[in-house]
Amino acid sequence: MNLTYITIYIIVFLKICVINAININAITFTYTSKVNVFTPLIDGFNKYAKENDLDINLKLVMLTPENSTSSLVDYSVFMDTLLKKRSTKYDLYFFNSAYIDSYSAHLLNLNDYLPKEFINMYDPGIIKLCTYKDKLPGLPVNVDMSALYSNTMLLKNYGREIPKTWDELLDTAKYILEEERKLNNTDLIGYNGLFDDGEDGILTMFEFIHSFRDSNNSTFPDLDSERTREALKTMKKIKDEISTDMMFSSSVDNSFGLFYSGKAIFLKLYYMEHLPIYAASAIPGWKEGVSGSIAGGTNVGVSLYISDKRKEAAITALKYITSKEVQTEYIAKKNLISGISSIYDDEELCKKADCDVVKYSIPFSSVGFGTSYYSDNVYFAKLRKHIYNYMYNNVDLSVTMKKLIDITKIYYFSVSTENTSVGLILFILYIVFAVIMLSSIAFLFITKYTSGFRFLPKEFFIFSVVGSVLIMNSILTLYGEASVVKCHLAVFYLSFGYALSVVPSLYKLVINFPKKNKISYWVKHHKYIFLSAILFIYLIMNVLLFIDPFVVSTVIVEEGENYQKCVGTTPFCLMVLILMPIVDCAILLVMSFLIFIEWNIKKTRRDMRYLIGLVVVDLLNLIIFFSINYLTLKSYIAYYVVTICNYFSLAISNYIFVYAVRIPRAFIGEEDQESVDSIMKGFHNNKEKDRFGGATNKSGYLNDIASTRTNITQASGKSGKSNTTKQTDTTNKSSTQLSNKMSNKILAFHYKETIE
């Protein structure tokens, strides 16, 4: 055969065997490469592909503690890194079902690639466990579950049955232990517990609470439920009566020692091949028909980032691995659990496998245990700490239940008195104050009382009262669960309420300026535009907050009660939140200046005293309010009480200083009030006369002081000065004169009693 024919044969061979063949790669983790389910499945598929001329070759990369990563958690991190990098190195991923939420976005949705009848072969509970947000990123290769192993030799000797409830297990174990101790057999253990300090202990805790559901179709009991309370009581009772602290807290290795020695009546271990002395059954429940078994296991999914051709090949391999025939041969017959529950209806299979373990646990279920504000490890550690303190350190059950609830519960104010009555009390106060404020508006419309409300136009008094009520409405946003909408609503109530309650007084101060000016004239004749302009500034700031909205932040209180509050996290949001109090303070500063200017104007002298109180109290309230937002209080009650009291203080003080203080004046009447003012004026003048050495003209007296100060300054400027410093002295003198002139002018306005 010449070289040409040989070359042709080689090319054809390569084309058939290599070029047309599709190589796909799978990756998995197992604790040992010697005994695993994956190798037989991969070998079986390659044999199947060859027999059916599929031209697909499946290779498996198997990670173990011996050759790479040390644990399942490490493998999950490695797999997560590959998928986030959109790696195309692997086509099929075997992964633990606990991490389905992390991987879902990177794997194909099998609902779009597999026939519906194929998916429906699997138990609905299993499909639910494999689904994340209506997406099916994987199907189970096998299901992991715990089982109860009963010592059939001892049960037979004492005429007892395999227990289906915890009470039956407790009663049977107590009876056999007592009888065996009569025979001097003191090494026997009633139940191992498997409440160790690792993952097995966490799973056991969840399984025990899980076994107190109302039925196998029910969800995991809430931690604050009576079902959980009963589970913990039963857990401790079993430990105290048929086991020991040391045995209950021992590791799985110790349990295996008991398993192979036969020195236990009942054992909890993972479902596996076992010695004939033991019979496997589902984890008992609080009543017959309920099992505590929690399903987990290994899923297989297809990468989203590989080519369409490789996706098609990977789907073919996945269908083979998860088919009923393969699941029966490689899973069920190997004493592993398949997610296809109909397999366990086969009588021949059930002669070799413990089908009742599966049947009694159907529908399969798992536990959604994570929280958005704890990592799983932290959450597990907290649960384990409090439950173990109850079991081993005799902490009161009520205290333990409260600690368990506090781990995940978010506390907030409510009119309910379940947790505290403070919320109801403050809500009642809100209603009372709101009714008083709004109903007091009626004085504006009663003719004999109108003399007390001449400081502002009637509608501006109404605006101010409504503004104070709006500030108090912020209190309502603190009741119930926190939300972004409530965060923005609280800011809206506060900002607009504050503007409405304060700006009417600012309007009066502007138009009340002692000397006529264009600003005062314009504001007086455009009062609604003036008010609207300031409200528009607050509206703009509220709208800007929607660009980068608030977020609801959870305040984690160690060994306490968690709560939530609104926070700004972006620089833009924080900038707007800082701008708001700056605007508030600017209004108060302008008001302070105008109050000083108008302090002695006869018609509004008394009103100025009220408004200075408003300014001082509002500044204090603003400081307290923004301090609260940047401080973390360790008690949700303290946080809400301080915040609500701050809202009350701001709203009520504004209401009192702008409106409520005028109600007594309305009752006294204008003539009586003028008599009171005359007496007070005489008293005030006598004090001033004594103070200024008999001078009654304060303005003239102050002008004399200013003139003398100027002459002294000029005289000192002329003496001892060299020619080289005359220009500087002249500049300083001019600046001093200008400053003195401004100060004198302000003081002159301050002591004016009338408006020009």
Side-chain angles (χ1 to χ4, degrees), residues 281-329:
S281 61
I283 297 294
W286 70 283
K287 67 177 181 179
E288 191 168 344
V290 177
S291 171
S293 298
I294 295 176
T298 302
N299 290 2
V300 59
V302 178
S303 172
L304 191 65
Y305 308 118
I306 57 178
S307 66
D308 290 341
K309 193 173 183 179
R310 289 169 65 185
K311 285 178 184 176
E312 185 178 346
I315 288 293
T316 301
L318 184 145
K319 285 181 67 176
Y320 170 85
I321 292 169
T322 57
S323 65
K324 186 173 182 178
E325 295 77 12
V326 172
Q327 287 282 301
T328 302
E329 188 66 27

Short mmCIF file of all heavy atoms in Angstrom, two decimals, residues 281-329:
data_model
loop_
_atom_site.label_atom_id
_atom_site.label_comp_id
_atom_site.label_asym_id
_atom_site.label_seq_id
_atom_site.Cartn_x
_atom_site.Cartn_y
_atom_site.Cartn_z
N SER A 281 -35.24 3.33 58.10
CA SER A 281 -36.58 3.91 57.92
C SER A 281 -36.45 5.43 57.91
O SER A 281 -35.38 5.97 58.19
CB SER A 281 -37.52 3.47 59.05
OG SER A 281 -37.02 3.90 60.31
N ALA A 282 -37.53 6.09 57.55
CA ALA A 282 -37.50 7.56 57.51
C ALA A 282 -37.36 8.13 58.92
O ALA A 282 -37.74 7.49 59.91
CB ALA A 282 -38.77 8.08 56.86
N ILE A 283 -36.81 9.33 59.00
CA ILE A 283 -36.71 10.02 60.30
C ILE A 283 -38.12 10.19 60.86
O ILE A 283 -39.03 10.63 60.15
CB ILE A 283 -36.03 11.39 60.12
CG1 ILE A 283 -34.60 11.23 59.63
CG2 ILE A 283 -36.05 12.18 61.43
CD1 ILE A 283 -33.67 10.56 60.60
N PRO A 284 -38.34 9.84 62.14
CA PRO A 284 -39.69 9.94 62.72
C PRO A 284 -40.21 11.38 62.74
O PRO A 284 -39.46 12.34 62.54
CB PRO A 284 -39.52 9.40 64.13
CG PRO A 284 -38.23 8.64 64.12
CD PRO A 284 -37.37 9.31 63.10
N GLY A 285 -41.49 11.49 63.08
CA GLY A 285 -42.11 12.80 63.24
C GLY A 285 -42.84 12.86 64.56
O GLY A 285 -42.85 11.90 65.33
N TRP A 286 -43.48 14.00 64.82
CA TRP A 286 -44.21 14.14 66.09
C TRP A 286 -45.50 13.33 66.07
O TRP A 286 -46.06 13.00 67.12
CB TRP A 286 -44.51 15.60 66.38
CG TRP A 286 -45.53 16.22 65.45
CD1 TRP A 286 -45.33 16.64 64.17
CD2 TRP A 286 -46.91 16.47 65.73
NE1 TRP A 286 -46.49 17.14 63.63
CE2 TRP A 286 -47.48 17.06 64.58
CE3 TRP A 286 -47.72 16.27 66.85
CZ2 TRP A 286 -48.82 17.43 64.50
CZ3 TRP A 286 -49.06 16.65 66.79
CH2 TRP A 286 -49.59 17.22 65.62
N LYS A 287 -45.95 12.97 64.85
CA LYS A 287 -47.10 12.08 64.71
C LYS A 287 -46.87 11.21 63.48
O LYS A 287 -46.04 11.53 62.61
CB LYS A 287 -48.39 12.88 64.57
CG LYS A 287 -48.50 13.68 63.28
CD LYS A 287 -49.85 14.38 63.20
CE LYS A 287 -49.98 15.16 61.88
NZ LYS A 287 -51.30 15.83 61.77
N GLU A 288 -47.59 10.12 63.40
CA GLU A 288 -47.42 9.20 62.28
C GLU A 288 -47.87 9.89 60.99
O GLU A 288 -48.87 10.59 60.95
CB GLU A 288 -48.23 7.93 62.51
CG GLU A 288 -47.91 6.82 61.53
CD GLU A 288 -48.51 5.47 61.94
OE1 GLU A 288 -48.91 5.33 63.11
OE2 GLU A 288 -48.56 4.58 61.07
N GLY A 289 -47.12 9.67 59.94
CA GLY A 289 -47.43 10.30 58.66
C GLY A 289 -46.59 11.53 58.39
O GLY A 289 -46.65 12.11 57.31
N VAL A 290 -45.79 11.93 59.38
CA VAL A 290 -44.90 13.08 59.21
C VAL A 290 -43.46 12.61 59.41
O VAL A 290 -43.17 11.93 60.38
CB VAL A 290 -45.22 14.20 60.23
CG1 VAL A 290 -44.23 15.35 60.07
CG2 VAL A 290 -46.64 14.70 60.04
N SER A 291 -42.59 12.98 58.47
CA SER A 291 -41.18 12.62 58.57
C SER A 291 -40.33 13.87 58.65
O SER A 291 -40.67 14.92 58.09
CB SER A 291 -40.75 11.79 57.37
OG SER A 291 -39.35 11.61 57.36
N GLY A 292 -39.21 13.74 59.36
CA GLY A 292 -38.30 14.88 59.45
C GLY A 292 -37.25 14.90 58.37
O GLY A 292 -36.42 15.81 58.32
N SER A 293 -37.22 13.88 57.50
CA SER A 293 -36.17 13.77 56.49
C SER A 293 -36.16 14.98 55.56
O SER A 293 -37.20 15.36 55.01
CB SER A 293 -36.35 12.50 55.66
OG SER A 293 -36.25 11.35 56.48
N ILE A 294 -34.99 15.57 55.40
CA ILE A 294 -34.81 16.73 54.52
C ILE A 294 -33.99 16.30 53.31
O ILE A 294 -32.93 15.69 53.45
CB ILE A 294 -34.09 17.88 55.25
CG1 ILE A 294 -34.97 18.40 56.40
CG2 ILE A 294 -33.73 19.01 54.31
CD1 ILE A 294 -34.30 19.46 57.25
N ALA A 295 -34.50 16.61 52.15
CA ALA A 295 -33.84 16.19 50.91
C ALA A 295 -32.80 17.20 50.49
O ALA A 295 -32.98 18.41 50.60
CB ALA A 295 -34.88 16.02 49.80
N GLY A 296 -31.69 16.67 50.03
CA GLY A 296 -30.65 17.49 49.43
C GLY A 296 -30.09 16.72 48.26
O GLY A 296 -30.84 16.05 47.55
N GLY A 297 -28.79 16.81 48.04
CA GLY A 297 -28.21 15.95 47.03
C GLY A 297 -27.45 16.69 45.95
O GLY A 297 -27.14 17.88 46.08
N THR A 298 -27.16 15.94 44.88
CA THR A 298 -26.34 16.44 43.79
C THR A 298 -27.18 16.63 42.54
O THR A 298 -27.87 15.70 42.11
CB THR A 298 -25.18 15.47 43.50
OG1 THR A 298 -24.41 15.31 44.68
CG2 THR A 298 -24.30 16.00 42.39
N ASN A 299 -27.08 17.83 41.96
CA ASN A 299 -27.76 18.12 40.70
C ASN A 299 -26.75 18.18 39.57
O ASN A 299 -25.55 18.32 39.80
CB ASN A 299 -28.49 19.47 40.78
CG ASN A 299 -29.68 19.42 41.71
OD1 ASN A 299 -29.95 18.39 42.32
ND2 ASN A 299 -30.38 20.52 41.84
N VAL A 300 -27.24 18.10 38.35
CA VAL A 300 -26.38 18.27 37.18
C VAL A 300 -27.02 19.31 36.27
O VAL A 300 -28.22 19.30 36.03
CB VAL A 300 -26.16 16.93 36.43
CG1 VAL A 300 -27.49 16.33 35.97
CG2 VAL A 300 -25.21 17.13 35.26
N GLY A 301 -26.20 20.25 35.81
CA GLY A 301 -26.69 21.32 34.94
C GLY A 301 -25.73 21.58 33.80
O GLY A 301 -24.58 21.12 33.81
N VAL A 302 -26.18 22.35 32.81
CA VAL A 302 -25.41 22.63 31.60
C VAL A 302 -25.03 24.11 31.57
O VAL A 302 -25.88 24.98 31.81
CB VAL A 302 -26.21 22.27 30.33
CG1 VAL A 302 -25.40 22.61 29.08
CG2 VAL A 302 -26.59 20.80 30.35
N SER A 303 -23.77 24.38 31.26
CA SER A 303 -23.27 25.76 31.22
C SER A 303 -23.99 26.58 30.16
O SER A 303 -24.29 26.11 29.06
CB SER A 303 -21.78 25.76 30.93
OG SER A 303 -21.31 27.08 30.71
N LEU A 304 -24.24 27.83 30.51
CA LEU A 304 -24.91 28.76 29.60
C LEU A 304 -23.94 29.33 28.57
O LEU A 304 -24.37 29.88 27.55
CB LEU A 304 -25.51 29.90 30.43
CG LEU A 304 -26.48 30.88 29.76
CD1 LEU A 304 -27.75 30.17 29.33
CD2 LEU A 304 -26.81 32.02 30.73
N TYR A 305 -22.64 29.18 28.76
CA TYR A 305 -21.66 29.93 27.97
C TYR A 305 -20.96 29.11 26.89
O TYR A 305 -20.11 29.64 26.17
CB TYR A 305 -20.61 30.53 28.92
CG TYR A 305 -21.24 31.31 30.04
CD1 TYR A 305 -21.07 30.92 31.38
CD2 TYR A 305 -22.06 32.40 29.78
CE1 TYR A 305 -21.67 31.62 32.41
CE2 TYR A 305 -22.67 33.11 30.81
CZ TYR A 305 -22.47 32.71 32.12
OH TYR A 305 -23.08 33.41 33.13
N ILE A 306 -21.30 27.85 26.74
CA ILE A 306 -20.67 27.02 25.71
C ILE A 306 -21.42 27.18 24.39
O ILE A 306 -22.51 27.76 24.32
CB ILE A 306 -20.65 25.54 26.14
CG1 ILE A 306 -22.07 25.05 26.46
CG2 ILE A 306 -19.75 25.37 27.36
CD1 ILE A 306 -22.15 23.58 26.85
N SER A 307 -20.83 26.65 23.31
CA SER A 307 -21.44 26.77 21.97
C SER A 307 -22.72 25.95 21.89
O SER A 307 -22.95 25.04 22.69
CB SER A 307 -20.45 26.30 20.91
OG SER A 307 -20.21 24.90 21.06
N ASP A 308 -23.55 26.27 20.92
CA ASP A 308 -24.81 25.55 20.74
C ASP A 308 -24.58 24.07 20.49
O ASP A 308 -25.36 23.21 20.95
CB ASP A 308 -25.60 26.16 19.57
CG ASP A 308 -26.13 27.55 19.90
OD1 ASP A 308 -26.20 27.88 21.10
OD2 ASP A 308 -26.46 28.30 18.96
N LYS A 309 -23.51 23.76 19.75
CA LYS A 309 -23.21 22.36 19.45
C LYS A 309 -22.88 21.59 20.72
O LYS A 309 -23.34 20.46 20.93
CB LYS A 309 -22.05 22.29 18.47
CG LYS A 309 -21.84 20.92 17.83
CD LYS A 309 -20.79 21.00 16.74
CE LYS A 309 -20.65 19.65 16.05
NZ LYS A 309 -19.63 19.70 14.96
N ARG A 310 -22.09 22.20 21.58
CA ARG A 310 -21.73 21.56 22.84
C ARG A 310 -22.92 21.53 23.81
O ARG A 310 -23.05 20.59 24.61
CB ARG A 310 -20.54 22.28 23.47
CG ARG A 310 -19.24 22.03 22.72
CD ARG A 310 -18.12 22.93 23.18
NE ARG A 310 -17.72 22.70 24.55
CZ ARG A 310 -16.82 23.43 25.21
NH1 ARG A 310 -16.24 24.45 24.57
NH2 ARG A 310 -16.51 23.17 26.46
N LYS A 311 -23.78 22.53 23.75
CA LYS A 311 -24.99 22.50 24.57
C LYS A 311 -25.85 21.29 24.21
O LYS A 311 -26.38 20.60 25.09
CB LYS A 311 -25.80 23.79 24.37
CG LYS A 311 -25.22 25.01 25.06
CD LYS A 311 -26.07 26.24 24.76
CE LYS A 311 -25.44 27.49 25.38
NZ LYS A 311 -26.18 28.72 25.03
N GLU A 312 -25.98 21.05 22.91
CA GLU A 312 -26.79 19.93 22.44
C GLU A 312 -26.21 18.60 22.93
O GLU A 312 -26.94 17.72 23.39
CB GLU A 312 -26.86 19.95 20.91
CG GLU A 312 -27.78 18.90 20.33
CD GLU A 312 -27.85 18.98 18.81
OE1 GLU A 312 -27.41 19.99 18.24
OE2 GLU A 312 -28.36 18.02 18.20
N ALA A 313 -24.88 18.48 22.85
CA ALA A 313 -24.23 17.26 23.31
C ALA A 313 -24.37 17.10 24.83
O ALA A 313 -24.61 16.00 25.34
CB ALA A 313 -22.76 17.28 22.91
N ALA A 314 -24.22 18.21 25.56
CA ALA A 314 -24.33 18.16 27.02
C ALA A 314 -25.74 17.80 27.46
O ALA A 314 -25.93 17.05 28.42
CB ALA A 314 -23.91 19.50 27.61
N ILE A 315 -26.75 18.30 26.76
CA ILE A 315 -28.14 17.96 27.07
C ILE A 315 -28.38 16.46 26.85
O ILE A 315 -29.08 15.80 27.64
CB ILE A 315 -29.11 18.79 26.22
CG1 ILE A 315 -29.13 20.24 26.69
CG2 ILE A 315 -30.51 18.21 26.26
CD1 ILE A 315 -29.72 20.45 28.06
N THR A 316 -27.78 15.91 25.80
CA THR A 316 -27.91 14.47 25.53
C THR A 316 -27.33 13.67 26.70
O THR A 316 -27.94 12.69 27.15
CB THR A 316 -27.17 14.11 24.23
OG1 THR A 316 -27.73 14.85 23.15
CG2 THR A 316 -27.31 12.61 23.94
N ALA A 317 -26.17 14.08 27.19
CA ALA A 317 -25.56 13.38 28.32
C ALA A 317 -26.40 13.54 29.58
O ALA A 317 -26.58 12.59 30.35
CB ALA A 317 -24.15 13.93 28.55
N LEU A 318 -26.93 14.74 29.81
CA LEU A 318 -27.77 14.98 31.00
C LEU A 318 -29.03 14.12 30.96
O LEU A 318 -29.44 13.57 31.99
CB LEU A 318 -28.12 16.46 31.07
CG LEU A 318 -28.93 16.91 32.30
CD1 LEU A 318 -28.50 18.33 32.73
CD2 LEU A 318 -30.43 16.93 32.02
N LYS A 319 -29.65 14.00 29.78
CA LYS A 319 -30.86 13.18 29.66
C LYS A 319 -30.56 11.72 29.98
O LYS A 319 -31.37 11.04 30.61
CB LYS A 319 -31.44 13.30 28.25
CG LYS A 319 -32.17 14.61 27.98
CD LYS A 319 -32.75 14.65 26.57
CE LYS A 319 -33.87 13.64 26.40
NZ LYS A 319 -34.48 13.75 25.05
N TYR A 320 -29.40 11.25 29.57
CA TYR A 320 -29.02 9.87 29.86
C TYR A 320 -28.86 9.68 31.37
O TYR A 320 -29.41 8.74 31.96
CB TYR A 320 -27.71 9.53 29.15
CG TYR A 320 -27.12 8.20 29.58
CD1 TYR A 320 -27.53 7.01 28.99
CD2 TYR A 320 -26.16 8.14 30.59
CE1 TYR A 320 -27.00 5.79 29.40
CE2 TYR A 320 -25.63 6.93 31.01
CZ TYR A 320 -26.05 5.75 30.41
OH TYR A 320 -25.54 4.54 30.83
N ILE A 321 -28.11 10.60 32.00
CA ILE A 321 -27.80 10.47 33.44
C ILE A 321 -29.07 10.52 34.29
O ILE A 321 -29.17 9.84 35.31
CB ILE A 321 -26.81 11.57 33.87
CG1 ILE A 321 -25.44 11.33 33.22
CG2 ILE A 321 -26.67 11.65 35.38
CD1 ILE A 321 -24.48 12.50 33.37
N THR A 322 -30.04 11.30 33.87
CA THR A 322 -31.26 11.51 34.68
C THR A 322 -32.45 10.70 34.18
O THR A 322 -33.57 10.89 34.66
CB THR A 322 -31.62 13.00 34.70
OG1 THR A 322 -31.79 13.48 33.36
CG2 THR A 322 -30.54 13.82 35.38
N SER A 323 -32.23 9.79 33.23
CA SER A 323 -33.33 8.96 32.72
C SER A 323 -33.74 7.93 33.76
O SER A 323 -32.96 7.57 34.65
CB SER A 323 -32.91 8.26 31.43
OG SER A 323 -31.85 7.35 31.70
N LYS A 324 -34.95 7.44 33.66
CA LYS A 324 -35.47 6.49 34.65
C LYS A 324 -34.68 5.19 34.65
O LYS A 324 -34.39 4.63 35.72
CB LYS A 324 -36.95 6.21 34.36
CG LYS A 324 -37.62 5.33 35.43
CD LYS A 324 -39.11 5.21 35.20
CE LYS A 324 -39.76 4.38 36.30
NZ LYS A 324 -41.24 4.28 36.13
N GLU A 325 -34.29 4.71 33.46
CA GLU A 325 -33.55 3.46 33.37
C GLU A 325 -32.20 3.57 34.08
O GLU A 325 -31.80 2.69 34.85
CB GLU A 325 -33.34 3.07 31.90
CG GLU A 325 -34.61 2.75 31.13
CD GLU A 325 -35.38 3.99 30.73
OE1 GLU A 325 -34.82 5.12 30.85
OE2 GLU A 325 -36.55 3.84 30.31
N VAL A 326 -31.49 4.66 33.82
CA VAL A 326 -30.17 4.85 34.43
C VAL A 326 -30.31 5.11 35.92
O VAL A 326 -29.52 4.60 36.73
CB VAL A 326 -29.43 6.00 33.73
CG1 VAL A 326 -28.14 6.35 34.46
CG2 VAL A 326 -29.13 5.63 32.28
N GLN A 327 -31.30 5.88 36.33
CA GLN A 327 -31.52 6.15 37.75
C GLN A 327 -31.83 4.86 38.51
O GLN A 327 -31.39 4.68 39.64
CB GLN A 327 -32.66 7.15 37.92
CG GLN A 327 -32.31 8.58 37.54
CD GLN A 327 -31.50 9.27 38.63
OE1 GLN A 327 -31.93 9.40 39.76
NE2 GLN A 327 -30.30 9.70 38.27
N THR A 328 -32.55 3.97 37.88
CA THR A 328 -32.87 2.69 38.51
C THR A 328 -31.62 1.83 38.67
O THR A 328 -31.35 1.27 39.74
CB THR A 328 -33.92 1.92 37.68
OG1 THR A 328 -35.10 2.71 37.55
CG2 THR A 328 -34.27 0.60 38.35
N GLU A 329 -30.82 1.76 37.58
CA GLU A 329 -29.66 0.88 37.56
C GLU A 329 -28.51 1.38 38.42
O GLU A 329 -27.89 0.61 39.16
CB GLU A 329 -29.19 0.70 36.11
CG GLU A 329 -28.11 -0.35 35.93
CD GLU A 329 -28.59 -1.76 36.22
OE1 GLU A 329 -29.81 -2.03 36.07
OE2 GLU A 329 -27.75 -2.59 36.64
#
